[in-house]
Amino acid sequence: MTADRTDPLVIRRLEFLGGMAAVDGWRPEPRLPEIAFAGRSNVGKSSLINRLLRRKKFARVSNTPGRTREINFFEVNGEFILADLPGYGYARVSKERKAAWRPLIEGYLRGSPTLRGVVHLLDARRVPSDDDLLMLDFLAQIGTPTIVVATKIDKLPRAEQAMRVEQLAREAGVELEQVIPFSAVSGDGRDELAEAIASLIGAGS
């Protein structure tokens, strides 16, 4: 980011509101726009959220993929809610836990009246999994605006990044303009993602 560029998401206040553990469980009152973050386990979601919010350890970075069991809600600047969905697709998670997560995630996405959109994370180095494609299909089915973020782009040689993003868009069945390359290490893509989120929030106001 250049020094004279205006930050599209200046973080003034952050508050962890709590976690939603069941379809009919507690959740914040739907009084603010909500942006949900989804992706398979180990895709780099916590690192992305920390970089987006310019905090080092706000969202827990776990060494054990599949550990988060709830939808965690964070209020940002008193202006919108960030909903961190449980990671999906981790092989070592029990079938029982996976079975509990699906209705939780789908119930939230279907039933949240103030949901403005979903940031769906895909690992730039990997072909989208069946779970990734199912999530994208589900979001298209319910008509939820979706931003696709290609995480860990810094793991690829710079000369290969643009070509890989184009390929990932084709594999995921989305428009190239819908995909934001992102690095939680360098911060590349942070402001582009912040701008896209601001547009989603503004579109529903």
Side-chain angles (χ1 to χ4, degrees):
M1 185 180 73
T2 58
D4 59 350
R5 183 174 178 179
T6 301
D7 188 338
L9 180 61
V10 177
I11 305 300
R12 297 181 299 275
R13 183 164 62 86
L14 286 172
E15 182 182 358
F16 173 59
L17 300 179
M20 178 181 179
V23 175
D24 56 353
W26 174 91
R27 57 145 296 149
E29 289 295 322
R31 58 184 179 82
L32 292 173
E34 296 179 8
I35 302 292
F37 285 69
R40 64 181 288 116
S41 298
N42 214 25
V43 74
K45 184 155 52 66
S46 293
S47 297
L48 178 145
I49 291 172
N50 286 332
R51 172 63 78 164
L52 175 68
L53 300 179
R54 301 194 187 283
R55 298 294 190 274
K56 290 185 177 180
K57 296 180 180 180
F58 194 72
R60 181 180 61 193
V61 179
S62 175
N63 292 324
T64 307
R67 186 174 178 181
T68 303
R69 305 181 186 185
E70 302 177 334
I71 299 174
N72 289 316
F73 295 93
F74 305 89
E75 185 173 319
V76 184
N77 294 338
E79 296 172 354
F80 73 95
I81 302 293
L82 186 159
D84 182 9
L85 307 185
Y88 56 78
Y90 188 57
R92 296 182 187 176
V93 174
S94 69
K95 291 182 179 179
E96 290 79 8
R97 192 184 300 176
K98 287 181 182 178
W101 284 351
R102 181 163 182 171
L104 175 64
I105 293 172
E106 292 188 359
Y108 166 76
L109 293 173
R110 283 187 187 277
S112 179
T114 57
L115 182 66
R116 294 287 185 263
V118 172
V119 178
H120 188 215
L121 280 60
L122 299 175
D123 191 327
R125 306 166 298 170
R126 315 288 185 211
V127 174
S129 68
D130 290 345
D131 287 326
D132 289 325
L133 297 177
L134 281 172
M135 175 62 81
L136 286 167
D137 286 346
F138 177 74
L139 293 171
Q141 174 191 335
I142 63 176
T144 301
T146 303
I147 303 165
V148 176
V149 176
T151 64
K152 306 185 183 182
I153 197 71
D154 56 283
K155 304 290 186 183
L156 299 173
R158 187 164 291 276
E160 299 177 10
Q161 291 177 8
M163 184 179 299
R164 176 57 193 144
V165 171
E166 291 180 13
Q167 185 180 27
L168 184 65
R170 290 195 299 271
E171 292 166 350
V174 299
E175 298 293 330
L176 178 60
E177 294 75 18
Q178 199 175 341
V179 183
I180 299 174
F182 191 97
S183 168
V185 176
S186 69
D188 287 351
R190 186 270 174 188
D191 284 358
E192 289 79 0
L193 176 57
E195 288 171 358
I197 289 171
S199 295
L200 286 177
I201 294 169
S205 61

